[in-house]
Amino acid sequence: MRNDELLALDRAHVWHPYGPMPGRAEPLVVASASGVRLRLAEPAHGQDELIDGMSSWWSAIHGYNHPVLNEAARGQLDRMSHVMFGGLTHEPAVRLAARLVEITPGPLQHVFLSDSGSVSVEVAAKMCLQYWRSVGRPAKQRLLTWRGGYHGDTWQPMSVCDPEGGMHELWSGVLPRQLFVDAPPAAYEESYAQLLREAVARHADELAAVIVEPVVQGAGGMRFHAPEYLRVLREACDEHGVLLVFDEIATGFGRTGTLFAADAAGVAPDVMCVGKALTGGYLSMAATLCTSEVADGISRGEVPVLAHGPTFMGNPLASSVACASIDLLLSQDWQTEVKRIEGGLREGLEPARTLPGVRDVRVLGAIGVVQLDHDIDMAAATAAAVREGVWLRPFRDLIYTMPPFVTGDADVARICAAVRAAAAAG
Ligand code: PMP
């Protein structure tokens, strides 16, 4: 199809994330992707390929068109691409579940495989609410979270996204009413830890769970905080009989420098969500893990089943690729690679501090953020990055990058140059 025809059809018929939005730049057409590069169907701003500074929204940690992941997909395709999961099981899903139990923190034992991060958060909330009903505490049906968070676009996750200025403000009157405390500060402050303890204690009778993104609040503002707050939450939840849910959908699989962000605090949740990089960005899959205590509690209830069963639950193709992606990650010295990228991002982004309008520069693991003191002109900032040969997706007052772990030093430097150019243009 010719590029202009494709774009005309796209404009006429295709919804994109958070679209349609008048005035937004036309999407670029990607013809193929390999390693860390997206090849464009037609050059844009003089570039026919772009370094992906976004890892396709945190997911493509090994880069694109990876021979190991391709082989896992091909091999599974020849056996079966899908089969229903009710009453049937298969090796790819079982192996994946066992592997996730092995590598995730603490006593997480049971794995619910689903098809997107948002659904995995729905399932996490359902598990927690149903657990308390099942063990005879039906009043405990609310969730507590901190402001500035983001947990997905379906109903229950929307209710724990940032309630002010967030993407789901439109629905604030009809979503379940949850409880919010201020977003955690970057450094550990005892006064904030105390605020967390008090919030859990005060609401314990109605609280099913506390749900947070550990260490990095992603799409709600790209904020980093001290891992110690996770320990504070764990202690408060234990003391007051509240479940603790970690949403590691963005942070999981090495992004922050530890395999899971919560590992930096040595803290395990009762329920945990993973997604995005689970399949190395190849296929749509997520998982919700819980402890035996949560699963057993649900089984003791009047309705002893967790009433959730997506059609594509445990999809064999996605499960096979997920197993291959995890094995690939763990077979390498990935910590050194993430540290190397962290060093490159620090070196390349620090100079942005002196640019006019830059409020903050922060780097953690393979994540780099430049925050401005004003909302960005998204089209101008994106175009500035593309001119530098880099794909970025600036958002609100943020220009940020989370490159694939296989991004070489020269490409990390180019990504940083593009972030600086976007900051200057936006
Ligand atoms: N939780 C977090 C922390 C996320 O970053 C996202 C995705 N941006 C989600 C949940 C939702 O995942 P999905 O887009 O796969 O539904």
Side-chain angles (χ1 to χ4, degrees):
M1 198 184 293
R2 280 201 345 250
N3 221 46
D4 56 343
E5 289 170 347
L6 187 152
L7 285 170
L9 288 172
D10 183 286
R11 213 175 302 121
H13 305 302
V14 182
W15 285 94
H16 284 268
Y18 304 101
M21 207 179 188
R24 203 177 252 191
E26 196 146 74
L28 301 178
V29 182
V30 181
S32 63
S34 195
V36 300
R37 283 176 163 69
L38 310 175
R39 177 156 280 280
L40 301 178
E42 237 175 36
H45 299 289
Q47 303 289 341
D48 54 12
E49 58 178 29
L50 302 176
I51 300 165
D52 183 5
M54 302 298 288
S55 296
S56 275
W57 272 334
W58 311 81
S59 64
I61 52 173
H62 305 296
Y64 300 93
N65 206 1
H66 195 288
V68 171
L69 303 190
N70 288 3
E71 188 44 45
R74 268 194 217 103
Q76 185 56 42
L77 199 54
D78 288 339
R79 288 186 287 277
M80 63 181 161
S81 56
H82 186 61
V83 63
M84 65 184 281
F85 210 48
L88 300 174
T89 194
H90 46 76
E91 185 177 328
V94 172
R95 274 201 335 171
L96 175 60
R99 196 77 164 114
L100 286 173
V101 166
E102 192 187 320
I103 65 171
T104 48
L108 299 165
Q109 284 294 317
H110 302 271
V111 183
F112 190 105
L113 296 169
S114 58
D115 40 20
S116 76
S118 300
V119 172
S120 77
V121 175
E122 289 283 355
V123 169
K126 236 169 165 174
M127 281 177 179
C128 295
L129 269 58
Q130 194 169 337
Y131 169 82
W132 290 112
R133 284 172 179 230
S134 300
V135 300
R137 301 285 307 276
K140 287 167 74 68
Q141 296 290 286
R142 290 181 84 184
L143 302 172
L144 183 139
T145 188
W146 40 48
R147 292 177 202 281
Y150 178 78
H151 297 279
D153 297 336
T154 58
W155 215 239
Q156 195 71 253
M158 280 164 69
S159 76
V160 281
C161 288
D162 191 12
E164 288 139 26
M167 291 186 266
H168 304 311
E169 209 177 0
L170 175 66
W171 301 104
S172 58
V174 276
L175 287 169
R177 272 187 335 107
Q178 311 293 13
L179 299 155
F180 292 87
V181 291
D182 286 344
Y188 184 81
E189 290 172 18
E190 182 50 32
S191 56
Y192 180 78
Q194 194 52 28
L195 184 143
L196 283 181
R197 292 185 195 104
E198 283 165 13
V200 174
R202 188 166 52 246
H203 299 290
D205 287 347
E206 54 177 339
L207 265 187
V210 173
I211 175 167
V212 294
E213 292 159 274
V215 182
V216 178
Q217 289 188 293
M222 298 299 291
R223 271 179 234 94
F224 308 154
H225 57 257
E228 285 79 4
Y229 292 128
L230 305 174
R231 217 171 297 142
V232 171
L233 281 178
R234 179 70 279 177
E235 285 163 12
C237 286
D238 286 345
E239 187 180 342
H240 298 287
V242 173
L243 296 171
L244 181 58
V245 182
F246 287 162
D247 175 348
E248 292 252 12
I249 291 164
T251 50
F253 304 103
R255 179 58 65 182
T256 61
T258 49
L259 191 55
F260 295 98
D263 293 343
V267 164
D270 301 291
V271 175
M272 177 163 152
C273 301
V274 294
K276 290 191 182 279
L278 172 60
T279 64
Y282 264 51
L283 287 146
S284 181
M285 176 172 249
T288 312
L289 291 94
C290 74
T291 60
S292 291
E293 192 186 335
V294 171
D296 293 348
I298 289 170
S299 309
R300 287 204 304 276
E302 201 177 314
V303 178
V305 297
L306 184 73
H308 209 106
T311 305
F312 291 103
M313 186 169 184
N315 174 258
L317 264 184
S319 299
S320 289
V321 176
C323 287
S325 177
I326 293 169
D327 288 348
L328 180 62
L329 181 69
L330 299 184
S331 69
Q332 302 162 5
D333 186 3
W334 59 269
Q335 290 99 329
T336 301
E337 293 309 300
V338 172
K339 273 220 152 45
R340 175 183 61 77
I341 291 174
E342 180 174 283
L345 291 176
R346 272 189 212 292
E347 194 183 320
L349 295 184
E350 273 305 318
R353 272 191 203 283
T354 55
L355 292 174
V358 169
R359 201 170 91 189
D360 191 27
V361 174
R362 43 190 186 265
V363 173
L364 177 71
I367 310 168
V369 183
V370 171
Q371 185 168 20
L372 306 187
D373 60 13
H374 57 274
D375 277 357
I376 290 158
D377 176 339
M378 235 176 122
T382 304
V386 168
R387 270 194 291 276
E388 299 286 328
V390 173
W391 177 242
L392 296 175
R393 190 81 178 140
F395 168 67
R396 268 184 354 215
D397 56 348
L398 301 164
I399 300 164
Y400 58 100
T401 176
M402 50 287 204
F405 300 167
V406 293
T407 311
D409 292 341
D411 286 344
V412 172
R414 282 187 66 188
I415 291 172
C416 293
V419 172
R420 297 194 306 267

